[in-house]
Amino acid sequence: MTYRSDPEPWITQLISSRSARTGAVVRRLVAWVEREVGHAAFQAEVKRRGYHLIRTANQYVIICHNGPIDILF
């Protein structure tokens, strides 16, 4: 798989979105993440920031805060 030569601008744009800055939720298609930056780089960046990452069906859901979460059902 070939990724962009420099994925940093894409990651910066995602993480600096209004939703991310306010601790909300951001979602991205799994295929889009793979095409733009690759799963490993994306997951490493989310983890580095202390956010929570959920994969469901064909989407990643990023919970943009490092507080506890409960999955209720």
Side-chain angles (χ1 to χ4, degrees):
M1 178 64 63
T2 303
Y3 311 117
R4 290 182 177 207
S5 58
D6 181 12
E8 191 58 35
W10 184 89
I11 290 173
T12 300
Q13 178 185 16
L14 173 71
I15 299 301
S16 64
S17 70
R18 182 176 182 191
S19 295
R21 288 191 327 264
T22 60
V25 171
V26 176
R27 350 176 251 138
R28 290 294 180 267
L29 288 172
V30 170
W32 196 56
V33 169
E34 177 60 23
R35 182 178 63 245
E36 295 295 321
V37 297
H39 300 291
F42 175 72
Q43 290 175 12
E45 184 62 23
V46 171
K47 185 175 185 175
R48 184 182 74 78
R49 293 175 179 274
Y51 295 166
H52 303 282
L53 180 62
I54 299 168
R55 182 177 178 170
T56 179
N58 66 343
Q59 297 206 348
Y60 280 121
V61 178
I62 308 121
I63 302 169
C64 299
H65 65 77
N66 61 2
I69 61 170
D70 294 322
I71 297 177
L72 302 177
F73 57 91

